[in-house]
Amino acid sequence: MLELVEEHRCFDGVQRIYRHESQTIGLPMRFSVFLPAASSSSKVPALFYLAGLTCTEETFPIKAGAQRYAAEHGIALIAPDTSPRGADIPGEKDSWDFGVGAGFYVDATREPWARRYRMYSYVTQELRETVLAELPVREDRIGIFGHSMGGHGALVLALRNPDLYRSVSAFAPIAAPSQCPWGVKAFSGYLGDDRSAWAQYDASELILGDAAARFEGGILIDQGLADQFLAEQLHPDVLERNARDAGHSLIVRRHEGYDHGYFFISTFVGEHVAHHARVLCR
């Protein structure tokens, strides 16, 4: 059952924050929703947005400015939190890039994380099913996008679940997490040291597989060339090369002068919504 935490009028639609008791996580979880005006009379397509390290369900609706474009296309926007809150696991608040605010959209298998840190199942199953049951969203018209850690999550969730997501894009994703410090720290902490278990959450590995989803309109990625994390953490070139080798349609747009933050995202978010709308709104 959803608890409405707050609601605001926005571009003739509504921006809301919901809270619910998650069975998957075993704790209360919050997510944001923008519903365009069209949702008052019929079900609408929806875009799930996965945010990056340290963010919450409020970061995207406050900073990205995406509601204007979602309203124009008649698309709902759903943004979950980035990790469980209140798990009280020792050490979960010690690092900004692991634990609270850094769930990495995986289902942890290593203790003490395995019980609560199950963001992959939460987003693909419980949150999706809750949204479809409680909100005016079309089951057959759902896309996914995200930023940084959330860009990694969006790519992984889409490539593994083509039956759930019809379109995908990302801003500055952690494109090869098995090969960067952020990903190695998260995967070893949540999944253990067996690197073969990491591949199921690495977009650059998944895109090489025969079962990887192929998306109408391709996969869109925007990357700023002044991004302070580009060289060490993001590695879009690895994903680009593997996509080319596997015959996937992947568009990586590189932009001079843009960094890793939401000024970059807000500049190009309208084009991302339009990318999804070409598939979801037909």
Side-chain angles (χ1 to χ4, degrees), residues 143-281:
I144 191 166
F145 64 153
H147 169 235
S148 192
M149 177 186 72
H152 138 77
L155 293 170
V156 167
L157 269 58
L159 289 168
R160 288 181 57 178
N161 298 278
D163 55 326
L164 303 185
Y165 307 107
R166 296 190 56 178
S167 57
V168 59
S169 69
F171 299 95
I174 304 172
S178 299
Q179 301 181 39
C180 75
W182 280 342
V184 170
K185 181 176 182 177
F187 287 178
S188 59
Y190 293 134
L191 305 174
D193 296 328
D194 180 3
R195 283 181 171 254
S196 64
W198 299 5
Q200 64 181 320
Y201 296 113
D202 189 321
S204 291
E205 296 293 330
L206 290 169
I207 208 163
L208 288 169
D210 294 336
R214 297 176 186 272
F215 294 93
E216 182 181 351
I219 299 170
L220 173 64
I221 291 176
D222 277 308
Q223 176 62 60
L225 292 179
D227 189 320
Q228 65 270 41
F229 302 114
L230 175 56
E232 184 178 21
Q233 303 284 10
L234 305 182
H235 301 309
D237 53 311
V238 177
L239 180 65
E240 195 172 29
R241 181 180 66 245
N242 289 0
R244 183 173 58 248
D245 291 347
H248 283 269
S249 177
L250 173 70
I251 304 157
V252 180
R253 308 191 306 183
R254 294 171 169 87
H255 306 278
E256 292 285 350
Y258 285 92
D259 61 24
H260 196 69
Y262 271 81
F263 294 111
F264 159 63
I265 294 172
S266 63
T267 301
F268 299 103
V269 72
E271 295 173 40
H272 278 246
V273 175
H275 167 81
H276 291 272
R278 283 190 285 272
V279 175
L280 302 179
C281 297

Side-chain angles (χ1 to χ4, degrees), residues 10-31:
C10 184
F11 292 104
D12 291 329
V14 290
Q15 179 68 55
R16 295 173 177 164
I17 300 288
Y18 285 108
R19 179 184 181 274
H20 71 125
E21 297 292 332
S22 170
Q23 299 303 309
T24 301
I25 304 295
L27 292 166
M29 292 292 289
R30 289 162 57 112
F31 64 95

Side-chain angles (χ1 to χ4, degrees), residues 45-65:
L47 267 174
F48 283 73
Y49 177 88
L50 306 183
L53 293 165
T54 75
C55 294
T56 72
E57 75 286 345
E58 294 183 309
T59 309
F60 176 70
I62 291 173
K63 291 186 173 183

Side-chain angles (χ1 to χ4, degrees), residues 7-197:
E7 177 178 287
H8 310 278
R9 189 73 168 164
C10 184
F11 292 104
D12 291 329
V14 290
Q15 179 68 55
R16 295 173 177 164
I17 300 288
Y18 285 108
R19 179 184 181 274
H20 71 125
E21 297 292 332
S22 170
Q23 299 303 309
T24 301
I25 304 295
L27 292 166
M29 292 292 289
R30 289 162 57 112
F31 64 95
S32 67
V33 177
F34 170 73
L35 293 174
S39 68
S40 63
S41 58
S42 62
K43 291 187 176 182
V44 297
L47 267 174
F48 283 73
Y49 177 88
L50 306 183
L53 293 165
T54 75
C55 294
T56 72
E57 75 286 345
E58 294 183 309
T59 309
F60 176 70
I62 291 173
K63 291 186 173 183
Q67 295 95 335
R68 177 190 300 273
Y69 307 104
E72 291 173 0
H73 292 286
I75 294 176
L77 300 171
I78 297 108
D81 202 348
T82 53
S83 77
R85 307 278 170 171
D88 295 328
I89 296 173
E92 70 172 346
K93 296 181 180 179
D94 290 353
S95 302
W96 67 274
D97 56 357
F98 183 80
V100 173
F104 262 83
Y105 305 101
V106 305
D107 281 352
T109 55
R110 188 177 185 181
E111 296 299 340
W113 311 98
R115 183 181 177 192
R116 304 294 193 196
Y117 278 69
R118 306 186 66 236
M119 292 300 293
Y120 177 87
S121 288
Y122 173 70
V123 175
T124 59
Q125 298 175 25
E126 185 176 20
L127 178 61
R128 177 179 175 274
E129 291 165 4
T130 299
V131 166
L132 291 174
E134 301 289 342
L135 300 172
V137 166
R138 290 186 58 172
E139 181 177 5
D140 62 338
R141 291 289 189 274
I142 294 176
I144 191 166
F145 64 153
H147 169 235
S148 192
M149 177 186 72
H152 138 77
L155 293 170
V156 167
L157 269 58
L159 289 168
R160 288 181 57 178
N161 298 278
D163 55 326
L164 303 185
Y165 307 107
R166 296 190 56 178
S167 57
V168 59
S169 69
F171 299 95
I174 304 172
S178 299
Q179 301 181 39
C180 75
W182 280 342
V184 170
K185 181 176 182 177
F187 287 178
S188 59
Y190 293 134
L191 305 174
D193 296 328
D194 180 3
R195 283 181 171 254
S196 64

